[in-house]
Amino acid sequence: TVEGAVVQFSPTIRKEFEGRKTLSITPRVRWGITNQHVNPSVDVGYTFGKKYIQSLSVSGGRRVFQFNNADPISE
């Protein structure tokens, strides 16, 4: 309720390499109209492996989430 209506833009950029390797980058920009806050973040993932697929991922930035796991307030 603090954010009000939300506008979010989150495209995914994906690049595939030889040998089942993949790099994906997802930048996110979320703007709360009522509170006028911009919350940018980014997720980066890399998958690799010949016999078994393995993955590494890193994310960072500012995110908005509820402390209550029951999710009583919808977006």
Side-chain angles (χ1 to χ4, degrees):
T1 61
V2 174
E3 274 189 302
V6 172
V7 176
Q8 180 170 309
F9 180 68
S10 58
T12 297
I13 302 158
R14 184 180 165 116
K15 174 72 176 167
E16 294 183 6
F17 301 99
E18 292 181 25
R20 297 168 46 176
K21 296 177 185 174
T22 304
L23 175 68
S24 65
I25 301 171
T26 304
R28 277 190 188 86
V29 178
R30 179 183 174 116
W31 179 55
I33 294 174
T34 301
N35 67 356
Q36 298 290 311
H37 285 184
V38 175
N39 297 303
S41 64
V42 67
D43 298 328
V44 178
Y46 180 67
T47 58
F48 58 95
K50 292 183 180 182
K51 186 174 181 180
Y52 301 104
I53 298 295
Q54 300 174 19
S55 65
L56 297 171
S57 62
V58 176
S59 64
R62 292 178 54 179
R63 298 208 176 166
V64 176
F65 64 95
Q66 291 189 38
F67 290 108
N68 187 344
N69 289 333
D71 203 21
I73 302 171
S74 65
E75 288 190 27

